[in-house]
Amino acid sequence: MPAPNLFLIGVRDIQTTTAFYCDLFEIEPTFTSPHYVAFEVAPGVLFALWTGYSEHAVPSTPRTSEVGLMVPGPSERIDEIFTNWVSKGVPVVREPHDAVFGRTFVIADPDGNLVRVSPID
């Protein structure tokens, strides 16, 4: 059976959110249209933004799912990324702390979608 290879995030303003993720992850889109933008994050795996959910993509709507960025290295690497992202002005949802799986923090994108940074499992 094939594994999931598309991770889709609902956004209101495709240009603003594309710029946010380009800056945050330091990557460029591999596909761009007026309502859908995709980033290839691994061979054959896409992280994409879509305005098809725009009526629900408002920062005041609680989010229960997260985009995850698992990073190698010591816990100090998590703190370094946090410091870097805060300097870019990202909204902090939860500051760095130690969880059962290691050091982690959570920020939000312009639409309130959550992004968690954590160590590699």
Side-chain angles (χ1 to χ4, degrees):
M1 174 166 278
N5 59 6
L6 173 62
F7 300 90
L8 192 59
I9 305 296
V11 302
R12 291 175 298 153
D13 182 332
I14 199 79
Q15 291 177 334
T16 297
T17 310
T18 297
F20 175 86
Y21 282 108
C22 284
D23 183 49
L24 190 71
F25 295 144
E26 299 176 0
I27 58 176
E28 292 299 319
T30 55
F31 179 84
T32 304
S33 76
H35 300 284
Y36 177 85
V37 172
F39 300 88
E40 186 172 40
V41 294
V45 179
L46 297 179
F47 167 69
L49 312 172
W50 184 42
T51 60
Y53 301 124
S54 61
E55 68 275 10
H56 303 294
V58 293
S60 61
T61 301
R63 298 302 199 272
T64 58
S65 62
E66 301 175 345
V67 171
L69 175 64
M70 296 192 308
V71 296
S75 61
E76 293 82 17
R77 181 69 182 121
I78 305 294
D79 293 330
E80 290 170 8
I81 294 169
F82 178 77
T83 300
N84 179 290
W85 286 7
V86 166
S87 74
K88 296 178 181 196
V90 300
V92 175
V93 174
R94 182 104 192 257
E95 294 200 7
H97 62 283
D98 294 319
V100 295
F101 49 83
R103 193 87 172 143
T104 187
F105 69 88
V106 180
I107 60 107
D109 76 7
D111 293 293
N113 296 303
L114 302 177
V115 178
R116 177 180 298 276
V117 175
S118 64
I120 293 176
D121 288 343

